[in-house]
Structures are given as C-alpha cells and as structure tokens.
Amino acid sequence: MNRRSLLAGVAASGAAIAGCASIEATVFQESTTPEVPSNPDDPIARATIGSPSDDDSPHRVRLWNRTDDQRSIGLDLEAESATFEGDYDLEPDAHVVVFLHDPAEYAVTVTVDGDEVESTTLEEESFDEPCPSTELFVLEDDEFEMTTEPESDHC
C-alpha cells in the first residue's frame, strides 16, 4: 500500500471518528525526507567516473524523480579531474546512478526541464567514509532534497 494513501486513510478515519464521537483526532505529518522507492537496484542508466580500485569504495550518487509526472532531469558532476553530464527523461520513481571512483571535490548541478533547481558540493572528505552515498530527490512544486550516508548498501 502506498504510504500517502495509508496516511490519508488514517487521517480521514480519525476525522470521521472525531466528528461522530466528539473525540480529538491526531493528524500525522509526512516526513520531509523522501524515502527511496522499493526498486533502488533498477536504475534507467548507470555511469562510472574514474577507475575502480580494490582499496577504495566508490561514492554512489543516485538521482530520483519523486514527482507524479515524467520530468526531463539533468545531472552534472564536475571535478578538476573529471566531468559528467547526463540528461534523462525520468518517469515517476525512476532514477539514475553514478559511481565516483576518484576522490575529489565535485560540483553537483541538477536541472529540471532546463531550469537549475539545485547546486551543491560533494566534499572530497566524503570518500574517506566506508561506503559513501548521496541521494538527490526531485520533488513536486520545484522542491529538492539531498541526503548523504557514510555507509550504504552498494559496497
């Protein structure tokens, strides 16, 4: 069951009970950090920057379309030693993944339908973590969310 549907049903049930029995209803608010959908191992595209090494784990970057509509989304990653530019038509809940093998500071730019929605930096120190990961979420109403984890499941 979809979490939004469940929360809407719980809120509607609570309101109905409150109206009939004059009981105060509790309203649940959804977390502002989006959840990774159930199919994270099924990206529409994969890319690798740098050469894999047995000594270091790559920094995984996933870009998600968490809107209800298809979007044209661009991802640019730029460091002194490497540049990546990708443009994708992402369906709802679809994503792309890029593995960064060269520790460096990366400028990250995300565009939606040709307009820049976010610009941020992945610090070189993040590559010192055991299995670093960054999730980039394009959300409804031109909103954007980014999360990072020092230890993720790709290593």
Side-chain angles (χ1 to χ4, degrees):
M1 174 180 272
N2 177 315
R3 186 171 126 181
R4 289 181 185 166
S5 298
L6 177 64
L7 290 176
V10 169
S13 298
I17 291 169
C20 294
S22 298
I23 298 173
E24 188 174 316
T26 301
V27 178
F28 297 97
Q29 290 189 346
E30 212 171 326
S31 170
T32 58
T33 302
E35 288 186 24
V36 172
S38 61
N39 66 343
D41 295 326
D42 192 20
I44 67 157
R46 293 177 191 262
T48 300
I49 296 178
S51 300
S53 165
D54 292 335
D55 298 336
D56 295 316
S57 299
H59 189 126
R60 180 185 68 197
V61 177
R62 291 191 294 195
L63 173 62
W64 296 88
N65 176 13
R66 297 293 285 150
T67 70
D68 293 332
D69 299 308
Q70 178 182 339
R71 298 277 191 241
S72 294
I73 300 177
L75 174 63
D76 295 341
L77 300 166
E78 187 174 339
E80 284 185 28
S81 61
T83 299
F84 172 83
E85 295 178 4
D87 293 308
Y88 308 94
D89 290 327
L90 293 178
E91 295 293 328
D93 291 334
H95 73 286
V96 297
V97 64
V98 178
F99 292 98
L100 306 173
H101 288 278
D102 292 338
E105 182 176 288
Y106 288 85
V108 179
T109 304
V110 176
T111 59
V112 177
D113 299 326
D115 297 324
E116 183 177 316
V117 294
E118 184 66 24
S119 183
T120 189
T121 303
L122 296 180
E123 300 295 332
E124 185 171 358
E125 294 80 32
S126 69
F127 288 81
D128 295 337
E129 301 295 339
C131 192
S133 176
T134 299
E135 306 286 339
L136 307 168
F137 299 97
V138 173
L139 306 170
E140 296 289 345
D141 300 324
D142 298 327
E143 302 241 350
F144 182 85
E145 186 79 30
M146 179 178 119
T147 62
T148 58
E149 293 181 40
E151 286 190 60
S152 63
D153 59 359
H154 69 278
C155 297

